[in-house]
Amino acid sequence: MSRATITVDRDFTVGPVPRRIFGSFVEHMGRCVYTGIYEPGHPEADENGYRTDVLELTKEMGVSVVRYPGGNFVSGYNWEDGVGPVESRPRRLDGAWHTVETNAFGLHEFAGWAKKANVEIMEAVNLGTRGVDAARQLVEYANHPGGTYLSDLRKKNGAAEPFDIKLWCLGNEMDGPWQIGHKTADEYGRIAQEAGKAMRLVDPSIELVVSGSSNRRMPTFGEWEQTVLGHTYDVVDYVSMHAYYEEKDGDVASFLASGVDMDLFIEGVIATADAVRAKGRHSKFIDLSFDEWNVWYQTTREGDDQLRTIEAKGGWHEHPRIIEDEYNVTDAVVVGTLLNSLLRHGDRVAIANQAQLVNVIAPIRSEEGGPAWRQSIFWPFARMSALAKGEILRLATRSDRFDTAKYGDADVVDASATWDEESGRIALFLANRGLDESAEVAVSLRGFENARVLSAEVLTVPENADRFTTNDEQHQDRVGLRQLTDVAADGGTLRATLPALSWAVVQVEVAKA
Ligand code: AHR
């Protein structure tokens, strides 16, 4: 049995829970759009072709904001191809994913879907093959009320009211050599600054995300943020971060400690942004937009390597299957710890988007003409989005440790917590990263009394199964939540025993001491 003690204090808070950290991502990639959120003719499709089964699951997940339309895709995309009468929209080759893009789905269709899903739109502009002019024109098309060529064109195309998109990404992963129109930090910093300026001249109310490093292992990490923010500090609001984690070469310990890497990444970008702030004598802070994060198996599973040749992909197809990872119990526990890392840093991580929403590295899976179901990683996201309310609590955690090859020693028990004064509820999000042992956790709730457990749920290895268990079309509920029974509250202390390899959420009702 491992042990951990956690102390929270009513007066030690990080800040309010930023709702935008429960974001997701819809890219024109594989089957995320086509046969994912959109499939006219499907028995569950509505009059617009939106799959209502996927819409319902999106709402159940509690997604707050969705990034669109890419991703690598956006760096070769003409937004104009996706508006106007569908029958006159061009079919194009998408070089990023070696796919034929029909353009049957574009901005209007996405805006209609976002409205039904009750999510905010986070729109990315193409700074790969295009630039300042296309970016500012898209803002005018989307946000200007009317009386100009572009805003009237939007009206003619069926949207009388502006889409009023507040959040905009200035390109995608421009530091990556794989990116169409890849740039040096200076080249990108200049174009991002000018595009951002021109976009704000059209609509000063927008918020801008500048592209940071594609991941912490990029050789230019740190230097890239410094140079790019040096060019853009005055015009942008957020710098982006992307990270994907996978269990590689049998090193499950390092995989389980992926949250340590996320902590280091976040703290490194905060330090770099704040160094640029100090050097430039700026007063405002640049916050973080972790706009792609997840577990994926891109480099280890056959058939999913984006660098494979077109021949190996069997030619050009519409919406082929790409990185349709099936997530197991271990993946769900890791996703829980990544969410903990994002929440613990909620004073600076203002936006986060799990990548992606459906089919492509996604918590929701769907089949063409068939059902939609929840993957294991759906659960930590959905429950945290539903229960993390009010203020984020600072934690003092003392946990038994385990060895990892990549990150040294890491805590066996990982946690985050929120306190909602209005409802008098604390939510504790706990992960036991121990593969074989259960973990006894004691949480001291300072400044609170009369603690009473309202609900306690756990996701762990199902009986007579192993940690690689997944859900699939035939077994949609194999991995899910069940009640955590070994939990009790007494005065200002909560005690719980977490099964080996598990993620849990406990809701406690408290009074102020
Ligand atoms: O989410 C899949 C891809 O991963 C995105 O298109 C890209 O930005 C990242 O490399």
Side-chain angles (χ1 to χ4, degrees):
M1 172 93 76
S2 312
R3 287 197 164 70
T5 59
I6 298 171
T7 305
V8 300
D9 188 305
R10 203 183 75 208
D11 291 328
F12 295 169
T13 57
V14 175
V17 175
R19 288 306 305 169
R20 279 174 169 172
I21 65 170
F22 300 109
S24 189
F25 177 31
V26 166
E27 177 166 6
H28 282 249
M29 173 178 175
R31 300 192 308 115
C32 188
V33 171
Y34 304 107
T35 72
I37 62 172
Y38 179 74
E39 190 180 330
H42 186 280
E44 301 282 340
D46 67 10
E47 67 286 2
N48 303 299
Y50 305 137
R51 281 188 65 154
T52 55
D53 49 355
V54 174
L55 260 173
E56 286 313 311
L57 289 174
T58 305
K59 287 192 219 163
E60 186 187 325
M61 247 181 92
V63 175
S64 55
V65 52
V66 178
R67 184 166 172 252
Y68 175 83
N72 295 341
F73 172 78
V74 80
S75 297
Y77 180 56
N78 300 328
W79 66 265
E80 301 88 339
D81 291 347
V83 303
V86 176
E87 55 288 359
S88 11
R89 296 187 194 172
R91 288 168 66 83
R92 301 257 191 211
L93 293 184
D94 158 32
W97 302 112
H98 307 295
T99 299
V100 174
E101 173 56 54
T102 63
N103 283 306
F105 192 96
L107 180 58
H108 288 253
E109 289 75 21
F110 183 66
W113 178 85
K115 201 168 178 185
K116 291 207 164 180
N118 194 24
V119 299
E120 181 182 2
I121 298 175
M122 181 178 191
E123 181 79 14
V125 300
N126 173 356
L127 293 187
T129 58
R130 306 193 73 191
V132 178
D133 204 33
R136 71 179 182 138
Q137 293 200 22
L138 177 51
V139 176
E140 182 177 335
Y141 184 90
N143 285 3
H144 196 68
T148 65
Y149 170 73
L150 286 166
S151 53
D152 288 344
L153 186 60
R154 180 198 68 238
K155 291 183 180 203
K156 194 174 143 214
N157 289 337
E161 295 304 318
F163 298 128
D164 199 20
I165 302 171
K166 289 286 171 239
L167 259 184
W168 294 81
C169 302
L170 296 165
N172 176 70
E173 294 190 348
M174 301 307 299
D175 62 326
W178 58 86
Q179 200 67 213
I180 297 176
H182 163 230
K183 293 175 174 46
T184 65
D186 276 312
E187 287 167 350
Y188 171 65
R190 286 284 302 129
I191 195 175
Q193 159 68 20
E194 291 306 316
K197 185 177 85 185
M199 291 161 77
R200 273 200 200 287
L201 287 172
V202 176
D203 181 352
S205 74
I206 60 176
E207 297 168 56
L208 294 171
V209 183
V210 74
S211 287
S213 295
S214 302
N215 60 69
R216 199 162 82 89
R217 295 176 312 283
M218 294 300 286
T220 49
F221 170 57
E223 224 178 290
W224 175 273
E225 281 74 5
Q226 210 170 350
T227 307
V228 165
L229 285 174
H231 285 290
T232 59
Y233 204 97
D234 278 330
V235 84
V236 303
D237 303 283
Y238 312 97
V239 59
S240 79
M241 306 170 66
H242 292 178
Y244 294 94
Y245 298 97
E246 65 190 298
E247 185 174 338
K248 259 187 181 165
D249 309 321
D251 183 6
V252 61
S254 297
F255 178 53
L256 283 164
S258 299
V260 174
D261 182 84
M262 191 179 242
D263 288 345
L264 290 168
F265 191 10
I266 291 172
E267 286 152 24
V269 175
I270 292 172
T272 311
D274 289 353
V276 180
R277 172 175 183 258
K279 192 167 170 234
R281 296 169 190 81
H282 302 281
S283 55
K284 77 169 184 186
F285 284 95
I286 297 291
D287 284 334
L288 313 188
S289 172
F290 214 128
D291 47 44
E292 284 185 36
W293 69 269
N294 208 350
V295 166
W296 74 4
Y297 288 90
Q298 194 194 11
T299 58
T300 48
R301 280 194 192 147
E302 203 196 339
D304 291 332
D305 184 347
Q306 60 176 286
L307 301 176
R308 290 172 84 222
T309 60
I310 298 165
E311 290 71 33
K313 283 177 183 293
W316 295 89
H317 298 288
E318 292 174 22
H319 56 80
R321 287 179 189 268
I322 311 176
I323 344 183
E324 298 199 357
D325 285 339
E326 284 190 358
Y327 293 109
N328 60 40
V329 176
T330 321
D331 300 328
V333 174
V334 171
V335 162
T337 64
L338 298 176
L339 285 161
N340 279 345
S341 171
L342 294 167
L343 188 62
R344 283 193 303 259
H345 292 96
D347 53 339
R348 294 302 293 274
V349 178
I351 304 158
N353 307 70
Q354 191 183 37
Q356 299 184 3
L357 181 67
V358 199
N359 292 328
V360 182
I361 40 174
I364 301 171
R365 279 292 320 272
S366 67
E367 279 304 329
E368 187 166 359
W373 65 97
R374 303 166 191 84
Q375 296 232 56
S376 65
I377 63 168
F378 179 97
W379 292 110
F381 187 113
R383 299 313 285 147
M384 188 184 268
S385 177
L387 300 179
K389 297 254 168 67
E391 294 281 320
I392 304 159
L393 289 167
R394 277 189 201 288
L395 307 177
T397 304
R398 279 168 187 267
S399 164
D400 285 349
R401 314 265 290 168
F402 69 113
D403 280 342
T404 75
K406 283 193 187 157
Y407 313 113
D409 276 2
D411 284 350
V412 173
V413 172
D414 181 73
S416 66
T418 58
W419 151 236
D420 183 33
E421 184 156 12
E422 209 181 303
S423 62
R425 288 176 184 194
I426 289 176
L428 287 153
F429 306 96
L430 304 161
N432 176 7
R433 303 193 266 210
L435 277 180
D436 307 310
E437 290 183 21
S438 50
E440 206 175 80
V441 187
V443 188
S444 163
L445 307 165
R446 284 199 198 154
F448 300 105
E449 58 187 12
N450 302 334
R452 190 170 68 91
V453 176
L454 291 177
S455 65
E457 297 160 295
V458 67
L459 183 153
T460 189
V461 180
E463 254 175 65
N464 305 320
D466 62 24
R467 69 182 184 87
F468 298 104
T469 311
T470 58
N471 293 339
D472 59 31
E473 189 174 346
Q474 280 73 42
H475 311 91
Q476 299 181 6
D477 298 313
R478 222 163 18 187
V479 185
L481 294 175
R482 63 177 163 81
Q483 208 188 330
L484 178 68
T485 46
D486 205 348
V487 58
D490 178 18
T493 307
L494 176 97
R495 289 179 200 285
T497 303
L498 308 175
L501 193 66
S502 62
W503 177 88
V505 51
V506 182
Q507 254 200 114
V508 189
E509 189 181 66
V510 284
K512 284 192 198 172

Short mmCIF file of all heavy atoms in Angstrom, two decimals, residues 173 175 211-216 218 220-222 224-225 239-242 265:
data_model
loop_
_atom_site.label_atom_id
_atom_site.label_comp_id
_atom_site.label_asym_id
_atom_site.label_seq_id
_atom_site.Cartn_x
_atom_site.Cartn_y
_atom_site.Cartn_z
N GLU A 173 1.80 25.47 -35.17
CA GLU A 173 3.10 24.77 -35.11
C GLU A 173 4.07 25.27 -36.18
O GLU A 173 4.64 24.47 -36.93
CB GLU A 173 2.89 23.26 -35.23
CG GLU A 173 2.14 22.69 -34.04
CD GLU A 173 2.12 21.16 -33.99
OE1 GLU A 173 2.49 20.50 -34.98
OE2 GLU A 173 1.72 20.63 -32.94
N ASP A 175 6.95 26.30 -35.92
CA ASP A 175 8.35 25.90 -35.66
C ASP A 175 8.66 24.54 -36.24
O ASP A 175 9.83 24.13 -36.26
CB ASP A 175 8.60 25.87 -34.14
CG ASP A 175 7.72 24.84 -33.44
OD1 ASP A 175 6.56 24.64 -33.88
OD2 ASP A 175 8.19 24.22 -32.47
N SER A 211 1.70 31.17 -32.00
CA SER A 211 2.19 29.78 -31.93
C SER A 211 3.49 29.67 -31.16
O SER A 211 4.50 30.28 -31.56
CB SER A 211 2.44 29.24 -33.33
OG SER A 211 1.25 28.98 -33.98
N GLY A 212 3.47 28.89 -30.11
CA GLY A 212 4.70 28.55 -29.39
C GLY A 212 5.30 27.28 -29.98
O GLY A 212 5.03 26.92 -31.12
N SER A 213 6.09 26.59 -29.18
CA SER A 213 6.76 25.37 -29.68
C SER A 213 5.78 24.21 -29.81
O SER A 213 4.84 24.09 -29.03
CB SER A 213 7.87 24.96 -28.72
OG SER A 213 8.87 25.93 -28.69
N SER A 214 6.06 23.35 -30.80
CA SER A 214 5.20 22.18 -31.03
C SER A 214 5.32 21.17 -29.90
O SER A 214 4.43 20.34 -29.72
CB SER A 214 5.59 21.48 -32.32
OG SER A 214 5.51 22.37 -33.37
N ASN A 215 6.42 21.17 -29.22
CA ASN A 215 6.56 20.38 -27.99
C ASN A 215 7.88 20.79 -27.32
O ASN A 215 8.68 21.51 -27.90
CB ASN A 215 6.50 18.87 -28.26
CG ASN A 215 7.60 18.40 -29.20
OD1 ASN A 215 8.77 18.41 -28.83
ND2 ASN A 215 7.24 18.04 -30.42
N ARG A 216 8.08 20.28 -26.10
CA ARG A 216 9.24 20.69 -25.30
C ARG A 216 10.55 20.10 -25.82
O ARG A 216 11.63 20.53 -25.43
CB ARG A 216 8.99 20.23 -23.85
CG ARG A 216 9.81 20.93 -22.81
CD ARG A 216 9.20 20.73 -21.45
NE ARG A 216 9.53 19.46 -20.83
CZ ARG A 216 10.59 19.25 -20.05
NH1 ARG A 216 11.43 20.22 -19.81
NH2 ARG A 216 10.81 18.07 -19.51
N MET A 218 11.45 20.12 -28.98
CA MET A 218 11.91 20.81 -30.19
C MET A 218 13.25 21.49 -29.89
O MET A 218 13.41 22.10 -28.83
CB MET A 218 10.90 21.88 -30.63
CG MET A 218 9.57 21.35 -31.08
SD MET A 218 9.65 20.23 -32.49
CE MET A 218 10.00 21.40 -33.81
N THR A 220 14.40 24.13 -30.86
CA THR A 220 14.29 25.59 -30.72
C THR A 220 13.43 26.00 -29.52
O THR A 220 13.17 27.20 -29.34
CB THR A 220 13.67 26.19 -32.00
OG1 THR A 220 12.49 25.44 -32.32
CG2 THR A 220 14.63 26.17 -33.16
N PHE A 221 12.97 25.02 -28.71
CA PHE A 221 12.09 25.35 -27.59
C PHE A 221 12.76 26.41 -26.69
O PHE A 221 13.92 26.33 -26.37
CB PHE A 221 11.76 24.10 -26.76
CG PHE A 221 11.07 24.43 -25.47
CD1 PHE A 221 9.88 25.15 -25.46
CD2 PHE A 221 11.61 24.04 -24.24
CE1 PHE A 221 9.25 25.48 -24.26
CE2 PHE A 221 10.98 24.36 -23.05
CZ PHE A 221 9.80 25.08 -23.06
N GLY A 222 12.03 27.37 -26.27
CA GLY A 222 12.55 28.43 -25.39
C GLY A 222 13.00 29.62 -26.21
O GLY A 222 12.46 30.73 -26.07
N TRP A 224 12.52 29.89 -29.35
CA TRP A 224 11.37 30.20 -30.24
C TRP A 224 10.39 31.14 -29.54
O TRP A 224 10.02 32.20 -30.08
CB TRP A 224 10.67 28.89 -30.64
CG TRP A 224 9.42 29.11 -31.44
CD1 TRP A 224 8.16 29.31 -30.94
CD2 TRP A 224 9.30 29.21 -32.86
NE1 TRP A 224 7.26 29.51 -31.96
CE2 TRP A 224 7.94 29.45 -33.15
CE3 TRP A 224 10.21 29.09 -33.91
CZ2 TRP A 224 7.46 29.59 -34.45
CZ3 TRP A 224 9.73 29.22 -35.21
CH2 TRP A 224 8.38 29.49 -35.47
N GLU A 225 9.99 30.79 -28.32
CA GLU A 225 9.02 31.61 -27.58
C GLU A 225 9.59 33.02 -27.37
O GLU A 225 8.89 34.02 -27.49
CB GLU A 225 8.71 30.99 -26.21
CG GLU A 225 7.73 29.82 -26.23
CD GLU A 225 8.30 28.53 -26.76
OE1 GLU A 225 9.51 28.46 -27.05
OE2 GLU A 225 7.52 27.57 -26.90
N VAL A 239 0.25 32.54 -25.62
CA VAL A 239 1.21 31.78 -26.44
C VAL A 239 0.79 30.32 -26.36
O VAL A 239 0.39 29.83 -25.30
CB VAL A 239 2.67 32.01 -25.97
CG1 VAL A 239 2.90 31.62 -24.52
CG2 VAL A 239 3.66 31.29 -26.88
N SER A 240 0.86 29.61 -27.50
CA SER A 240 0.34 28.24 -27.52
C SER A 240 1.40 27.22 -27.11
O SER A 240 2.60 27.48 -27.19
CB SER A 240 -0.19 27.89 -28.91
OG SER A 240 0.88 27.56 -29.77
N MET A 241 0.92 26.08 -26.66
CA MET A 241 1.77 24.93 -26.33
C MET A 241 1.07 23.67 -26.85
O MET A 241 -0.16 23.61 -26.81
CB MET A 241 1.91 24.80 -24.81
CG MET A 241 2.37 26.04 -24.13
SD MET A 241 2.22 25.89 -22.35
CE MET A 241 3.42 24.63 -22.02
N HIS A 242 1.84 22.70 -27.28
CA HIS A 242 1.29 21.41 -27.69
C HIS A 242 2.10 20.30 -27.06
O HIS A 242 3.33 20.41 -26.98
CB HIS A 242 1.38 21.24 -29.22
CG HIS A 242 0.49 22.18 -29.98
ND1 HIS A 242 0.47 22.21 -31.36
CD2 HIS A 242 -0.40 23.12 -29.58
CE1 HIS A 242 -0.41 23.14 -31.76
NE2 HIS A 242 -0.95 23.70 -30.69
N PHE A 265 6.97 21.85 -18.69
CA PHE A 265 6.72 22.58 -19.94
C PHE A 265 5.98 23.90 -19.62
O PHE A 265 6.40 24.99 -20.02
CB PHE A 265 5.90 21.68 -20.86
CG PHE A 265 5.75 22.14 -22.30
CD1 PHE A 265 6.48 23.19 -22.82
CD2 PHE A 265 4.85 21.48 -23.15
CE1 PHE A 265 6.33 23.60 -24.15
CE2 PHE A 265 4.70 21.87 -24.48
CZ PHE A 265 5.43 22.93 -24.96
#
